[in-house]
Amino acid sequence: MRIGAIVLAAGEGRRFGGNKLLVKIGGEPVILRVLKALNEFERVVIVGAYANELMPYLSNEIVIYNPHYRDGMSTSIRLGLRFFQDYDAVLVVLADMPLITNEVVSRIVGAYRDGCSAVAPMHNGVRGNPVLIHRALFPELMRLSGDVGAREILRGRADVCVVECGPEVLIDIDTVNDLARVLNMVNTNSQ
């Protein structure tokens, strides 16, 4: 199965108050931690608000600039989907989830089986990210608009497969408090 990873890195980080993707966690910028978890995949990084700041860190990546990033996440998903339109599935990855690892991504991809329109990671009954989406849903993804992600089209579908994962599939950095919590978790685990 050919899978392409769409890394969503175009947002303005309004709740955070700036560019959260270059904040260092464990000595490494958030965006690079996320990309490291996707080493085994072809990927495209969708940038927007902080394109100029991010580019020096993305010199070995395929990057698409989204001039419509202010119109919401759906615009970035559509750009990434156009890039991978001939693939069997896409992995929609939020660039602000620094605790995602290769193992987590492999677990999500490994849970795919015939009949799954998507594979969503779960932790204690709560759906997380990243999400693997089969090409059968590409037309629906292309119809998304506004600041919504794949969750909109997956809600209520019986053919979404789930795989139990750790809390990292629920942890993103939206606020300074989220960052403090992640830093605390990383520092606690490294001692």
Side-chain angles (χ1 to χ4, degrees):
M1 186 159 84
R2 278 179 81 204
I3 299 169
I6 302 169
V7 182
L8 303 176
E12 295 177 87
R14 277 176 282 188
R15 286 183 286 167
F16 186 80
N19 186 354
K20 57 192 173 183
L21 301 182
L22 295 181
V23 172
K24 290 189 176 178
I25 294 179
E28 195 170 27
V30 169
I31 185 74
L32 296 183
R33 289 179 66 102
V34 171
L35 291 172
K36 191 186 295 182
L38 302 169
N39 275 345
E40 300 166 30
F41 295 90
E42 289 183 59
R43 58 194 184 216
V44 62
V45 182
I46 312 298
V47 298
Y50 298 105
N52 291 335
E53 293 175 30
L54 289 170
M55 286 309 292
Y57 296 87
L58 303 175
S59 59
N60 294 320
E61 302 296 328
I62 295 169
V63 179
I64 297 175
Y65 174 71
N66 178 3
H68 305 291
Y69 65 87
R70 285 189 181 96
D71 294 335
M73 187 187 307
S74 66
T75 62
S76 291
I77 291 172
R78 289 196 313 266
L79 282 173
L81 200 55
R82 282 188 197 111
F83 188 81
F84 290 122
Q85 63 189 345
D86 297 328
Y87 283 55
D88 300 307
V90 292
L91 192 66
V92 178
V93 183
L94 306 180
D96 66 352
M97 296 189 76
L99 303 181
I100 296 296
T101 62
N102 290 86
E103 294 76 23
V104 170
V105 174
S106 294
R107 185 178 198 137
I108 293 165
V109 170
Y112 177 80
R113 60 187 184 281
D114 285 342
C116 295
S117 65
V119 178
M122 289 273 240
H123 180 68
N124 291 338
V126 179
R127 272 196 197 165
N129 286 293
V131 176
L132 181 73
I133 301 176
H134 186 269
R135 68 175 301 109
L137 293 183
F138 287 6
E140 286 185 59
L141 276 179
M142 288 303 288
R143 287 192 293 271
L144 286 175
S145 64
D147 196 25
V148 297
R151 186 176 310 232
E152 284 301 304
I153 64 168
L154 301 180
R155 189 176 288 131
R157 291 187 69 100
D159 58 355
V160 174
C161 299
V162 296
V163 59
E164 188 64 30
C165 293
E168 63 275 358
V169 300
L170 303 179
I171 298 170
D172 61 354
I173 299 174
D174 287 331
T175 65
V176 174
N177 286 341
D178 292 339
L179 173 62
R181 187 179 61 173
V182 169
L183 288 170
N184 186 45
M185 292 172 78
V186 169
N187 291 337
T188 301
N189 289 338
S190 64
Q191 293 176 358

